[in-house]
Every structure is written in structure tokens, then in C-alpha cells.
Amino acid sequence: MPTNPTPPLLTYRFATNPTPLQADGTSRITISVLKPKTPAVYCKSIQISVPKNDVDGNAYFAEEPEWSYSSANWEPSSNVDPGDDGEESGALYWRKKFTSLQDGKSFDSQFDIGLKGTVSNTGPLACEVLEMSATSGTAKSVLRKRTFTLGVEPQTLFINNFLAFGYGGPTVPKTKFQLDEPIGLAWESNGTHFVIYDGSGKVVFDDSATECILQKNPPPKHPAQKPPTNDTTYTLRATLTPGSNFPNNFEPIYQYATVAVTITNPILTGLTVTGDTELQQKLTVTGDTELHQKLTVSGNTEVQSGLTADYGLTVKGTLTVSGYAWVQNGLDVDKSLRLDTTDVMCYGKYQLSNDRYGDYGETLYLFRDYSGNVSLQTYDDSENRKNGFNWYLRNSDNQ
């Protein structure tokens, strides 16, 4: 390998989980190979090397990491470049070479390489990239090299990527659910015990797993509870020290993360609306409903039980009452009032008259006999009670 190697032509970007990497825990590294803006690059192969032994106390992979890659245009090759293995420093490497299946074509799409394993030691982790490439399809390829350094820190408690999901699994985040639909919660952490609280502070999960499903009818001994009936925010608590009520003033350390979920058809125990509200579907009320302001109904309204109106009730359409209707403060009818399709009142002025015109005064009394029968009567001052007679409601415009 040349003392001052030529740097690669392609662009390399790194992502890690956790960030930064932590010693003695599972670590994931993604290397994204990107096309530069200019010029065109013709790449035959890319080789990644990471240390496999301790050199000067730096970080390394004691066991070969799991390798993965994202594109069908590349394939792993067993013919790796030995590089600087054992030269001077005594460093040894895990190597993986990927060869292009599009030889003669310029690099035109992103290529991702993944590593997963346990990193030992803290300090810098060297990641060496060897690229065999040229600037034209006819030019001779040149071996180019660059070493990237990733930091590794002592392992501390962490929570990453706390999210909700549905039937698509943890890789498809979801925050809107139907009532009683199962809700999945997942996270990444090196903690040993986890508790999840809903928005009211109720514990819905208490276990060591890093995933749970909230479902309407959980199986026996299932650590998770039922899903919510309305919107809520879940709070995840992670710790390395499970338990409670520790002696000697010991206090465990916790990490927290939250995720909010929405129920699109919730069950509400109370609702206050200060602005206009439009309902585009059916409204069903099974309990008492109290309106402190005006109620305007533009369509048909059906009352299947008693209706009591203490104030103005305006109906622009048809009002159908199948049960009893009681109007406490009077009933004004502008047009017609009908009973079983027969006009009871028509438009005009009305007066009370009797069938013995002029014989008695116009004072009316409501009389109730011992049997409970109620009648409308008039009295003469010289007698205890005159025989009752009929009173009629007449339209004064049509006498």
C-alpha cells in the first residue's frame, strides 16, 4: 500500500446505533456510499476493514461482525486485499470486499453496507475503506484508501427510537389507531427492566422485553394491558436496576422517553366545545343532554321520548314526536297544528266560546271530580255549581 494513498472518489457517510457507539454492547454501523456531484466514477470494488485485536488500547471487534448490504448491483467477494495486516503495528482486521456487477458503468445509485457486532474497549474505532475506481470507463482503476474514525464510549443506560406501530411491525411507525385496535410499542435500550405508563399514570407494561403489544383481550400472564379508549401519551422508563424500596439510601437511575397516540373514534367521558362544531355523520346520545344556548335543527328531528323545552326551540324542518311533548312556557303556532292529519288550529286569532251563548260569564274553572276526571267548567255566584257545558276554541276570523 502506498505511503500516501489516493483518497476515494465516492462519498462515504456513517450512521451508528447507539450514537456514539458503546463498548461491550451490540453496535450497528451503516456505511452509505454516495455518488459525488462530479465527475462520474467507475468503481469496481469497495472493501471495508475494521480491527479485530487491541492495538494501543483502541476499540475493536473481538468477533467478526455480521455483514449486510443493500443493493443487488453488488456482491460479496472472497478475494480480499490483505492490506497492512501485521505490518509494524501488529494490527489485524476483519475485512469484507464487495464487487460491482455493473463493470463498465458509472456509479449511479446509493450502496449501503452494514456491520453488527460487539465492540470491545473504548476509544477510537478505525474503519478503513479501500476503493478500486477510475474517472472513466476506459481508464485504469486505481486502489484508493481512507480511514474513518468512530468514537466508542463506556456503556451507559440509553433509550433510542421509542415508537408506536400497527400491523406493519416496528419498522412502520404509526400514531393513529381505531378504538380497540392493537397498539405495538417498541424501543432500543441496554436497560434491564422497563415500565410504560399511560397518560393517566397507569402502568400498562412492566417487563424486561423491548417490545409490547397492547390489545383488547390479552392472553393470560401477558405483561401488557389493553389499548386506550382515547388519545394518550405513553411514557417509557428504563433502568439497569429493577425493583423498588432499596436500602441504604440507594436510588436507581432512570431514562425516559415518550410517544403520543391518537384514537380516531374515541370514547370520551366529557366534552366541552367553545367554537362551532359540525357533525357530518350520525350522533347518538345514550345519556342526558343539556343545552344552555339555542338549538337550531335544519333537518328532520325525531324525539322518541319526552321533550321538554324551557326556552325557545326552533325547528326549520319537520319535528316528529313519538312520545310525550310538554311545553312549559306556552306554544305559539304560526301556521297549522294537526292531529292525525286533521286541522286542530289554522292561521288566525282564537277565542273561547260556549254552547249557551250569553247565559254565563266568561270565567272558567278547572274542575276535578273524585274519580280523577278533569273538566273545564263555569260557575254562577248564586249556586254552588251549574251543570257543565262544552267550551269551544274558535277562530275569530272565521266565526
Side-chain angles (χ1 to χ4, degrees), residues 57-76:
N58 294 333
Y60 64 96
F61 284 90
E63 296 182 355
E64 183 174 10
E66 299 177 18
W67 300 88
S68 58
Y69 57 103
S70 65
S71 176
N73 295 329
W74 295 77
E75 67 176 3

Side-chain angles (χ1 to χ4, degrees), residues 146-169:
R146 182 177 177 182
T147 300
F148 298 86
T149 301
L150 305 176
V152 180
E153 296 185 353
Q155 186 171 149
T156 57
L157 177 63
F158 69 88
I159 302 175
N160 288 333
N161 303 323
F162 181 38
L163 54 86
F165 63 90
Y167 293 106

Side-chain angles (χ1 to χ4, degrees), residues 283-320:
L283 172 64
T284 301
V285 180
T286 57
D288 294 339
T289 300
E290 182 177 346
L291 301 176
H292 295 285
Q293 297 292 334
K294 180 180 178 182
L295 172 65
T296 301
V297 181
S298 300
N300 292 338
T301 301
E302 180 177 349
V303 180
Q304 297 181 352
S305 187
L307 172 65
T308 300
D310 291 334
Y311 297 97
L313 175 65
T314 301
V315 180
K316 296 181 179 179
T318 300
L319 175 63
T320 302

Side-chain angles (χ1 to χ4, degrees), residues 77-389:
S77 172
S78 58
N79 183 24
V80 298
D81 188 317
D84 299 330
D85 259 3
E87 294 183 7
E88 299 181 358
S89 66
L92 302 176
Y93 293 88
W94 301 110
R95 305 180 188 276
K96 182 65 69 173
K97 185 176 182 178
F98 298 90
T99 303
S100 174
L101 299 178
Q102 295 183 312
D103 194 20
K105 291 185 177 182
S106 63
F107 185 93
D108 61 358
S109 60
Q110 180 172 329
F111 176 45
D112 297 285
I113 301 170
L115 297 82
K116 180 180 179 181
T118 301
V119 179
S120 300
N121 272 6
T122 59
L125 175 68
C127 185
E128 179 187 271
V129 175
L130 293 181
E131 176 188 294
M132 182 67 73
S133 60
T135 56
S136 71
T138 58
K140 182 179 179 180
S141 295
V142 175
L143 185 62
R144 309 169 193 273
K145 174 184 176 181
R146 182 177 177 182
T147 300
F148 298 86
T149 301
L150 305 176
V152 180
E153 296 185 353
Q155 186 171 149
T156 57
L157 177 63
F158 69 88
I159 302 175
N160 288 333
N161 303 323
F162 181 38
L163 54 86
F165 63 90
Y167 293 106
T171 59
V172 185
K174 180 179 178 180
T175 58
K176 291 185 177 181
F177 298 86
Q178 294 286 322
L179 182 66
D180 293 334
E181 180 182 352
I183 298 177
L185 299 172
W187 58 96
E188 296 175 340
S189 176
N190 61 348
T192 59
H193 196 84
F194 308 96
V195 177
I196 297 179
Y197 304 88
D198 65 11
S200 64
K202 177 183 176 182
V203 175
V204 298
F205 179 81
D206 188 346
D207 199 67
S208 59
T210 55
E211 181 179 312
C212 73
I213 304 294
L214 306 176
Q215 49 191 314
K216 185 177 181 180
N217 296 308
K221 299 183 180 180
H222 188 66
Q225 302 298 313
K226 296 180 180 180
T229 57
N230 49 52
D231 301 352
T232 192
T233 297
Y234 290 109
T235 300
L236 169 66
R237 187 187 76 182
T239 183
L240 292 169
T241 313
S244 60
N245 301 321
F246 297 97
N248 304 317
N249 297 322
F250 177 80
E251 296 182 5
I253 293 176
Y254 300 113
Q255 291 283 351
Y256 294 89
T258 60
V259 62
V261 298
T262 299
I263 305 301
T264 56
N265 55 336
I267 296 176
L268 303 176
T269 56
L271 177 65
T272 300
V273 180
T274 58
D276 295 338
T277 301
E278 180 179 349
L279 299 177
Q280 298 181 354
Q281 296 293 334
K282 179 180 179 181
L283 172 64
T284 301
V285 180
T286 57
D288 294 339
T289 300
E290 182 177 346
L291 301 176
H292 295 285
Q293 297 292 334
K294 180 180 178 182
L295 172 65
T296 301
V297 181
S298 300
N300 292 338
T301 301
E302 180 177 349
V303 180
Q304 297 181 352
S305 187
L307 172 65
T308 300
D310 291 334
Y311 297 97
L313 175 65
T314 301
V315 180
K316 296 181 179 179
T318 300
L319 175 63
T320 302
V321 181
S322 300
Y324 179 74
W326 170 256
V327 181
Q328 186 172 348
N329 292 332
L331 175 65
D332 293 331
V333 180
D334 288 339
K335 292 187 179 179
S336 62
L337 177 64
R338 299 175 68 86
L339 175 63
D340 295 333
T341 71
T342 302
D343 286 340
V344 177
M345 296 175 62
C346 296
Y347 183 81
K349 297 180 179 179
Y350 290 84
Q351 66 182 13
L352 285 171
S353 62
N354 57 62
D355 56 357
R356 303 182 190 180
Y357 303 106
D359 292 343
Y360 297 96
E362 298 181 354
T363 301
L364 296 176
Y365 298 90
L366 190 65
F367 178 74
R368 183 175 186 273
D369 62 21
Y370 293 107
S371 300
N373 299 316
V374 178
S375 61
L376 195 62
Q377 303 283 343
T378 185
Y379 283 82
D380 188 296
D381 293 339
S382 62
E383 297 178 316
N384 290 331
R385 183 170 73 87
K386 292 289 186 181
N387 292 330
F389 50 87

